[in-house]
Amino acid sequence: MPNATSGKMIASVLILIGAILLIGALFTPWYSYESSGHGLSETRNYYLGMPSTNGTIQAACSGIPSCPTQTSYSNQNLNNTGNLAEAGFFMVIGAFVLGIIAAIIGVASRRNPRRTAPVIALAALALVLAVAAPGLFAVALPGAAANDFPGHVGSGPWSSFLGSNSTSISGITVTITWGPGIGWYLSIVAFVILLVGVILLTRYRREPPQPMTAPAPVVPTPSTMPPPSSPPPP
């Protein structure tokens, strides 16, 4: 079992890894929507970011002549979904910054028990934001998609966070699938790693008490022994 110093070092490294994964989540899609039928297919990936930022929606199409490879939530009139992507963006950024600061302070002060409490506080805040971002995205996305597609029919992202559906339109069967992307899963993994780091920091927040040792016994030497007493006079 590691001692307090090495335990806090391991915890700080884990927090750093969790923060790095959050940055990876910002550059990978958080949601995907795929449709295919009659030789046509389209895949749309949705990223976190500002609603007006070009490239937050990226598409790959086959057999569809007019298919923008990248666009934004604002250009697609996905205002509610764009606001959700913006909220998640700032949550992940905040969790990353707090996690980096906590990891740096944790490594620098791993031998100072008095500075462990601020590190735990920063890491805990990063932990909360790291789980709030994917949690809010999963809970609020169906409602946001329903508002962005008021004339929706059948099942889709407006009805559940994850699913698939096949619909017949004018004799053509169209299959659609939707669900979270790799960025969403990365944020969950980052949360788990941050959680382990916070638990380790809490466990090793104080140095264990040192066992008390009894003083070594003093062995008398000839120089310290009292002189022999003389016999009493007769």
Side-chain angles (χ1 to χ4, degrees):
M1 181 179 295
N3 56 29
T5 300
S6 59
K8 286 185 283 188
M9 182 67 181
I10 295 173
S12 300
V13 171
L14 288 175
I15 293 172
L16 178 62
I17 294 173
I20 293 174
L21 288 178
L22 289 174
I23 281 296
L26 288 177
F27 295 97
T28 48
W30 273 54
Y31 206 73
S32 65
Y33 177 88
E34 300 178 9
S35 61
S36 61
H38 198 59
L40 307 177
S41 64
E42 178 184 11
T43 300
R44 289 198 171 197
N45 292 316
Y46 299 84
Y47 294 73
L48 297 184
M50 306 295 287
S52 59
T53 301
N54 190 38
T56 47
I57 300 177
Q58 299 184 11
C61 304
S62 176
I64 300 177
S66 58
C67 177
T69 56
Q70 61 181 18
T71 182
S72 66
Y73 293 97
S74 299
N75 289 338
Q76 296 296 309
N77 295 321
L78 302 177
N79 299 320
N80 296 279
T81 307
N83 292 334
L84 183 60
E86 181 181 14
F89 176 76
F90 285 113
M91 286 182 182
V92 172
I93 287 291
F96 165 74
V97 172
L98 292 172
I100 288 293
I101 296 175
I104 293 174
I105 297 177
V107 171
S109 61
R110 60 187 182 276
R111 291 184 175 88
N112 189 347
R114 292 178 296 179
R115 292 188 179 181
T116 306
V119 176
I120 294 176
L122 291 171
L125 288 175
L127 180 69
V128 171
L129 291 176
V131 72
L136 176 65
F137 200 84
V139 172
L141 182 64
N147 292 328
D148 289 333
F149 296 95
H152 59 272
V153 294
S155 300
W158 45 83
S159 58
S160 62
F161 184 62
L162 172 68
S164 62
N165 183 32
S166 294
T167 305
S168 181
I169 304 175
S170 301
I172 300 174
T173 301
V174 178
T175 301
I176 61 174
T177 58
W178 63 93
I182 187 173
W184 189 85
Y185 288 110
L186 273 179
S187 67
I188 297 295
V189 175
F191 160 72
V192 173
I193 294 177
L194 286 171
L195 178 62
V196 175
V198 171
I199 292 174
L200 288 178
L201 277 177
T202 305
R203 181 176 181 180
Y204 295 106
R205 64 183 303 173
R206 296 183 182 277
E207 293 284 350
Q210 299 296 327
M212 298 182 63
T213 57
V218 178
V219 179
T221 61
S223 59
T224 59
M225 294 179 63
S229 57
S230 57

